[in-house]
Amino acid sequence: MLRAMITAMMLWAGAYGAIAQVSGQGASEAWVQIEARPNLTQAEARARAWSATLENVGGFRLESGWYAIVIGPFSREVAEAERLRLLARGAIPRDSFIAEGSSFATPFWPEGGIAALAPAPDVARGGGPIAVTPLPEPGLAAPLAPAALPDETPAEARASERALSPEARRELQAALQWEGFYFGALDGLIGPGTRNAMADWQAARGFEPTGILTTAQRAAVTRDLRETRESLGLQLVFDEGAGIAIDLPTALVAFDRYEAPFAHYRATSADEVQVILISQEGDRDRMAALYDVLQTLTVVPVEGSRALNRRSFRIEGADRQRETFAYAELIDGAIKGYILVWPAGDERRRTLAADALRASFQALPGALPDDAGGFGDQRPDLVAGLSIRTPVWAQSGFYVDGDGRVATAAADLTACSRVTLGEDVDMALAAKDAGLGVALLEPRAPLAPIGYARLATTGAPLRSEIAVSGYSFGGVLSAPTLTYGTLEDVRDLTGDDRRARLTLAAEAGDAGGPVLMPDGAVTGLLLAPDKGERALPNDVALTASGAALAAFLSENGVVVEAADPGGMLDPEDLAISAADMTVLVNCWE
C-alpha cells in the first residue's frame, strides 16, 4: 500500500511537469525508478545500499518533497530493456517503473554529483531486434584466482561470507547447483541446505568440510559457471518486430529473418543452436492449431512431454541429435513464445540458456503480421521456413478386421523407431512372413476402422481386370488412388503359386495395398518390388495370392471374413470401398 501511494505521488508530480534543475539533464533522458523515501537521511542510506549491488545508481529530490532512487540515465527504449533485465534477475522491486528525467529536481546521490554516474550501456541494432549489452551483475565482481587469495580461518571465512550481497549469495547457490551439490531454491539465504552443499563441495575437492567457504573457495566454485555464462553471451534482446524481450545466447545465435509467425535466430557456430521467437495475433483455437503444427517439425523430436492449457502450451522433445523446448502463451489477443533448439550432449549449457530464456521472457505490445517476411520458399514440407518431419519411407496397407489390424508388404520394420498409420496412429509389428513378403501390424491403442477387407473365396480368372488401392506417392495425396491392371498368371516367375503376376504400372508407395476384384473383394496384397540384382519391367508386379494371405492372417489370430458374391461395382463405388480400408503406413527414424 505504501509503495502504491509513493508511486501515485510521483506520477502526480511528473504530471505537473516539474522543471529539471540539473545541468545537462534533458527531457529525452529516462531512468528506472526503484524506490522513494520521504526524507533525505533515509534516501541516502537506501541509495548507498543499492549502490553496493547495482551500477549507475542515482538519487533526486522530487517536487513532492520525496526522494527518488533511480538507475540511469538511458534512452527510453534502453531504460525499458534494462528494467526488464533487472526484473528478470530479481535485482529490483517488481513495481519499478520508467521515469522521465524532466520529473526530477536537485540530485542528492552519488556524492560526486550526477556527472559521476557511469554512461548508459551500448545498444547494438541488427535486422530489427535490439541487443542490450548487459551491465555487470550486481555485486558480482570477477573472481580472483584462488592462488592469489590468502588462506582464511573459519572466522575470517564467515566474516567474508556475511559481507556478501544477496545477489552474490544467490550466485553462490546457483554455482553449487551447477556443480551438482545444491538442490534448493536460489533464495540467497544460507541455511542448512546451502551449508551441506558447501561442505559436500569442499569434501569433493579435498578441503576440510567446514560448510563455510573461504573467499578463494567461493571464487573457485563460481568460476565454471561464470565462464559458461560468458561463452553463451547471454544478452537481453529487445525484438520490437515480434514484440518480445528475452535473454538470448548471442554468442551462439544471431537474428536472421522474420517469417510469420516466427522470428528466426540462426546458429552462428558449430553448436547449431537455434532460437525461434513465436509472435502472432490469435485466440485459443489458433494457439491450439500452432501447438499441433509445432509437433510436426523436424526440430521438435517426437519423444517428450507436451501440455496444452487454455492460455498456454509447452512442448519438450529429445532424441540423439537435439533437445528442444517450446513455450507460448495467449496474452492480450496475441500468441507469444519461443522455441529453443540445442544439440544433444550439452545438458549443462542448455539448462543455463533455457533458464535464462524462461526467466527473462517478456511479452511487449505488437505482433508479427501474418505476411511478415513475405511467403518465403513455398514448399509443402516447410512451415514458415521450418522443415516438417517426414517419414523414412511410406507404403500402403489395409485393414483386415474390425479391431484395426493391418496387412502390408514386408519391409525392414524393425529398423523403424516408430510405425504409424498416417501421422499419428501408432502400430506394432505383430507378425511377418519374409518368404511371402507380407506383414501384420496391430494398433497400440483401440482402433475402429470404417471398413476392412473381405477376401475372395476363389481366385480371379486369368486376364481379368483388377485394381490396386494405394498411396502411390507416399502420402503426398490425402487419399488413396486406384491403379488398374490385369492378372497375367496365378504363379510368379519361379512357379510359386503363393504369388501371382500382374500387369500393372504401380508406384513404390502402392506396395502393401489391396488387390481388388471388380466386385470389391480382395484377391491379394501387392508386394514390394524386388530390390535384388534382378529388376523386372515397370509394368510387371507381384501379389501375394488371396489363399496365401488368408492362411497367414489365420495363423496369426485374424478371423478372415469372406466376401459375399456380388456384381461389379461402379468405379466410384469401388474407389469409396477401397478408401475405407486402405491406409498409409509410415516408418519414422
Side-chain angles (χ1 to χ4, degrees):
M1 178 65 73
L2 176 60
R3 188 169 298 280
M5 292 174 63
I6 293 170
T7 301
M9 291 177 69
M10 294 210 229
L11 289 174
W12 177 85
Y16 280 83
I19 301 174
Q21 300 178 12
V22 183
S23 176
Q25 182 178 317
S28 62
E29 291 177 343
W31 307 72
V32 182
Q33 184 164 320
I34 56 177
E35 191 173 339
R37 291 287 167 168
N39 63 67
L40 181 59
T41 301
Q42 292 180 6
E44 286 179 335
R46 293 301 297 154
R48 185 176 295 106
W50 281 112
S51 296
T53 60
L54 297 174
E55 300 285 340
N56 292 38
V57 174
F60 294 93
R61 181 180 181 276
L62 299 173
E63 288 297 316
S64 65
W66 284 63
Y67 294 83
I69 302 163
V70 298
I71 306 168
F74 308 100
S75 67
R76 177 76 189 198
E77 62 182 11
V78 175
E80 178 60 23
E82 184 63 8
R83 184 183 73 88
L84 293 173
R85 186 185 78 87
L86 294 172
L87 283 173
R89 287 161 172 73
I92 60 175
R94 298 302 300 177
D95 57 356
S96 299
F97 61 93
I98 304 301
E100 300 294 339
S102 60
S103 65
F104 300 146
T106 309
F108 70 86
W109 189 269
E111 295 174 349
I114 201 65
L117 288 177
D122 294 333
V123 176
R125 292 186 180 273
I130 303 170
V132 180
T133 303
L135 295 173
E137 291 288 347
L140 305 181
L144 299 174
L149 297 171
D151 290 336
E152 292 177 335
T153 66
E156 290 171 334
R158 188 178 291 275
S160 65
E161 179 185 271
R162 283 197 297 267
L164 293 176
S165 68
E167 186 67 24
R169 292 178 183 180
R170 283 193 290 270
E171 192 207 25
L172 178 60
Q173 289 173 325
L176 290 167
Q177 188 180 77
W178 173 260
E179 294 290 343
F181 294 96
Y182 180 68
F183 305 99
L186 304 182
D187 53 13
L189 303 176
I190 299 181
T194 307
R195 289 276 175 231
N196 291 336
M198 290 192 286
D200 291 343
W201 181 88
Q202 288 172 319
R205 299 297 186 272
F207 297 111
E208 181 184 357
T210 64
I212 307 168
L213 298 181
T214 66
T215 301
Q217 290 169 356
R218 286 196 301 272
V221 78
T222 57
R223 179 172 293 104
D224 187 32
L225 178 57
R226 290 171 183 261
E227 290 176 352
T228 302
R229 281 176 174 165
E230 291 174 3
S231 75
L232 297 177
L234 291 168
Q235 285 185 260
L236 180 69
V237 171
F238 195 77
D239 194 321
E240 295 175 313
I244 291 173
I246 192 168
D247 276 352
L248 295 183
T250 59
L252 305 179
V253 299
F255 177 75
D256 185 17
R257 68 193 187 280
Y258 292 126
E259 198 162 348
F262 303 131
H264 294 264
Y265 287 77
R266 59 177 173 79
T268 57
S269 69
D271 296 287
E272 297 184 352
V273 172
Q274 293 182 66
V275 177
I276 303 150
L277 302 184
I278 301 169
S279 175
Q280 68 174 163
E281 295 181 353
D283 53 17
R284 290 174 185 167
D285 291 340
R286 200 171 189 189
M287 184 181 70
L290 178 62
Y291 170 79
D292 290 336
V293 168
L294 291 187
Q295 295 179 72
T296 70
L297 302 179
T298 57
V299 296
V300 181
V302 174
E303 298 299 325
S305 64
R306 277 94 165 112
L308 173 63
N309 302 314
R310 289 171 59 84
R311 306 292 299 180
S312 66
F313 67 71
R314 174 185 51 78
I315 301 172
E316 295 182 56
D319 58 22
R320 289 172 294 180
Q321 294 180 297
R322 61 179 64 89
E323 295 183 57
T324 299
F325 179 82
Y327 173 80
E329 58 183 300
L330 189 59
I331 306 173
D332 296 330
I335 303 165
K336 300 289 185 72
Y338 59 89
I339 306 170
L340 176 64
V341 183
W342 205 273
D346 190 12
E347 181 65 21
R348 297 178 78 196
R349 289 205 313 162
R350 185 198 69 82
T351 299
L352 188 61
D355 287 346
L357 265 69
R358 186 180 297 110
S360 63
F361 172 72
Q362 293 279 342
L364 306 175
L368 289 176
D370 289 344
D371 59 353
F375 295 100
D377 185 4
Q378 297 187 70
R379 288 165 32 193
D381 60 343
L382 292 179
V383 172
L386 298 176
S387 299
I388 297 174
R389 189 184 306 108
T390 55
V392 179
W393 52 257
Q395 64 184 30
S396 302
F398 56 97
Y399 292 116
V400 293
D401 66 10
D403 293 328
R405 283 180 281 195
V406 169
T408 187
D412 191 12
L413 294 165
T414 57
C416 306
S417 65
R418 184 177 176 227
V419 178
T420 64
L421 304 185
E423 297 289 336
D424 53 9
V425 179
D426 287 298
M427 304 293 286
L429 178 62
K432 180 177 177 180
D433 186 334
L436 180 59
V438 299
L440 178 65
L441 307 176
E442 60 184 10
R444 295 186 181 275
L447 192 61
I450 297 174
Y452 55 90
R454 273 74 171 175
L455 297 186
T457 54
T458 59
L462 288 177
R463 305 292 189 275
S464 63
E465 185 180 76
I466 53 87
V468 171
S469 176
Y471 287 84
S472 305
F473 306 101
V476 174
L477 301 179
S478 60
T481 58
L482 289 180
T483 303
Y484 289 89
T486 58
L487 175 65
E488 290 295 330
D489 197 336
V490 293
R491 296 175 178 81
D492 67 8
L493 294 171
T494 66
D496 187 348
D497 62 3
R498 299 178 73 210
R499 302 180 177 198
R501 177 164 60 90
L502 308 176
T503 297
L504 182 79
E507 299 288 343
D510 290 317
V515 180
L516 303 166
M517 296 175 64
D519 62 359
V522 175
T523 188
L525 179 151
L526 187 68
L527 300 175
D530 187 358
K531 296 182 179 179
E533 297 180 356
R534 182 182 295 108
L536 298 177
N538 291 335
D539 63 347
V540 175
L542 299 177
T543 174
S545 70
L549 179 62
F552 167 75
L553 295 175
S554 297
E555 290 169 2
N556 290 285
V558 177
V559 178
V560 178
E561 187 167 330
D564 295 328
M568 291 180 57
L569 297 177
D570 293 334
E572 294 82 2
D573 293 334
L574 183 61
I576 292 171
S577 175
D580 288 345
M581 71 175 80
T582 309
V583 295
L584 177 66
V585 178
N586 283 324
C587 169
W588 302 91
E589 193 173 32

